[in-house]
Amino acid sequence: MPVTDVPGSRRPDLSALWRERWPLCPPLAYELKNAYHDRWVRFHSLPDSKRYADDEAEYAILLHRYNTVLGPAAPVQHGPRRTVRR
């Protein structure tokens, strides 16, 4: 049941919002960069456009960069990694 069918709901239908904000593109995120190439941006989280961390040093870089961008709004804090024993 769509949210708009719930009695008393004031939430707009997600599909209607999509059509309003991105009318040139179906609701497929990967097509946004083609339909709205003038607004497309990609952020690289690791040096040399690397996508995934391979070791603890790279995870530390990711954590530092995410915390820098998010700031005090949503700090990510982790203690040392723990080994799960079975």
Side-chain angles (χ1 to χ4, degrees):
M1 170 190 304
V3 175
T4 53
D5 291 345
V6 177
S9 175
R10 294 183 182 178
R11 295 182 182 184
D13 178 43
L14 183 58
S15 295
L17 280 174
W18 185 280
R19 286 188 302 273
E20 177 186 320
R21 294 184 181 166
W22 298 290
L24 302 177
C25 183
L28 300 169
Y30 63 87
E31 289 195 13
L32 282 170
K33 66 181 175 183
N34 296 321
Y36 295 95
H37 57 86
D38 59 323
R39 299 184 212 172
W40 184 255
V41 64
R42 181 174 178 180
F43 297 95
H44 297 276
S45 297
L46 289 167
D48 301 320
S49 301
K50 188 173 178 184
R51 289 187 173 195
Y52 305 104
D54 288 327
D55 56 34
E56 291 296 322
E58 289 178 346
Y59 278 109
I61 292 170
L62 288 174
L63 185 59
H64 172 75
R65 290 182 177 189
Y66 291 155
N67 282 332
T68 300
V69 171
L70 294 174
V76 179
Q77 298 176 358
H78 296 284
R81 291 183 176 219
R82 298 181 185 173
T83 304
V84 177
R85 295 183 188 186
R86 295 180 187 222

